[in-house]
Amino acid sequence: EAGVTQFPSHSVIEKGQTVTLRCDPISGHDNLYWYRRVMGKEIKFLLHFVKESKQDESGMPNNRFLAERTGGTYSTLKVQPAELEDSGVYFCASSRLENYGYTFGSGTRLTVV
Amino acid sequence: GDSVTQMEGPVTLSEEAFLTINCTYTATGYPSLFWYVQYPGEGLQLLLKATKADDKGSNKGFEATYRKETTSFHLEKGSVQVSDSAVYFCALSERDTGRRALTFGSGTRLQVQP
């Protein structure tokens, strides 16, 4: 089966601009997660979708971040407006509903200058 | 809240050397423990896991034992290869709450020289 796909793989934007990251989970995986790793620190949880519903968004840092998962398929994570501290690698992962095992994507490296 | 602490890198070893990457955790409940690996240019991959005390996870020659008394889950390999060069992340998830989010450590970069 195809893996979790994220794009773009890299994005460089200026402070104040908007960026949208996309994640395509493995087909049939109802759970979808977003994580990010900032400045080589620990990977931190952002949020968890079950199908199209936000199950847990306790890790979202502030209201500049908006995640959606229309139709329970792919998901987007929009940062608007971007700040310097948003630079990092954003990972997406998916799993089947009954399974705690994740499959991660390769990540999107976001650089805000 | 939950946290995971792992040794800082980079760890540089010669091929066939013994590897230990330390990991300790703090959790309110009884977590499951994981090691993930990220090879250059790739996503995170589950390396091994353990779900209860004294369980030993193993894969590709790597091992880690769930030590509840010392709240540790150290990663070991008896003889590393150049192909093991990667970043290794220790992580936990809480089972009691049903919350599926993973709590990660900061990662340890391993460089194996021929």
Side-chain angles (χ1 to χ4, degrees):
Chain A
E1 60 182 4
V4 176
T5 305
Q6 291 187 246
F7 44 92
S9 57
H10 294 84
S11 179
V12 181
I13 62 171
E14 292 184 351
K15 177 182 172 181
Q17 288 185 323
T18 298
V19 63
T20 300
L21 314 181
R22 174 166 168 154
C23 169
D24 285 12
I26 292 173
S27 178
H29 282 195
D30 289 327
N31 289 305
L32 188 148
Y33 310 83
W34 284 98
Y35 288 81
R36 73 171 179 177
R37 187 182 190 209
V38 174
M39 292 294 290
K41 296 184 178 178
E42 65 271 18
I43 300 170
K44 289 200 170 181
F45 168 79
L46 296 178
L47 86 159
H48 170 206
F49 284 99
V50 177
K51 298 184 181 178
E52 67 275 8
S53 300
K54 293 177 184 175
Q55 182 78 9
D56 181 354
E57 50 185 330
S58 61
M60 294 289 267
N62 52 61
N63 59 10
R64 296 186 293 103
F65 289 75
L66 175 63
E68 294 179 325
R69 191 181 182 194
T70 306
T73 55
Y74 70 91
S75 174
T76 58
L77 180 65
K78 180 189 287 188
V79 185
Q80 179 182 27
E83 299 290 344
L84 298 179
E85 63 264 25
D86 300 331
S87 296
V89 181
Y90 290 76
F91 292 101
C92 176
S94 70
S95 72
R96 294 190 183 281
L97 196 60
E98 69 283 3
N99 191 354
Y100 278 74
Y102 289 37
T103 300
F104 278 86
S106 300
T108 294
R109 180 174 296 278
L110 175 64
T111 303
V112 182
V113 296
Chain B
D2 297 346
S3 67
V4 175
T5 302
Q6 56 183 110
M7 60 191 292
E8 291 191 20
V11 174
T12 303
L13 296 174
S14 298
E15 208 164 19
E16 299 184 2
F18 184 85
L19 168 71
T20 299
I21 300 178
N22 291 336
C23 171
T24 57
Y25 67 89
T26 302
T28 52
Y30 191 174
S32 296
L33 303 175
F34 307 85
W35 276 101
Y36 280 83
V37 58
Q38 185 181 21
Y39 298 102
E42 298 184 15
L44 290 162
Q45 300 175 23
L46 178 64
L47 181 59
L48 53 84
K49 67 178 182 182
T51 58
K52 60 182 188 293
D54 301 324
D55 265 3
K56 178 185 285 187
S58 62
N59 186 24
K60 300 182 181 180
F62 290 89
E63 293 183 340
T65 301
Y66 191 142
R67 300 289 189 200
K68 194 166 185 287
E69 64 277 13
T70 54
T71 62
S72 65
F73 192 55
H74 303 322
L75 182 68
E76 296 182 337
K77 186 174 186 182
S79 176
V80 294
Q81 304 300 313
V82 172
S83 57
D84 294 326
S85 298
V87 182
Y88 293 80
F89 294 91
C90 185
L92 67 82
S93 68
E94 288 280 11
R95 295 180 301 162
D96 301 338
T97 63
R99 186 168 181 263
R100 295 182 179 225
L102 288 168
T103 299
F104 285 90
S106 55
T108 302
R109 179 175 298 278
L110 170 65
Q111 297 173 325
V112 181
Q113 298 175 336

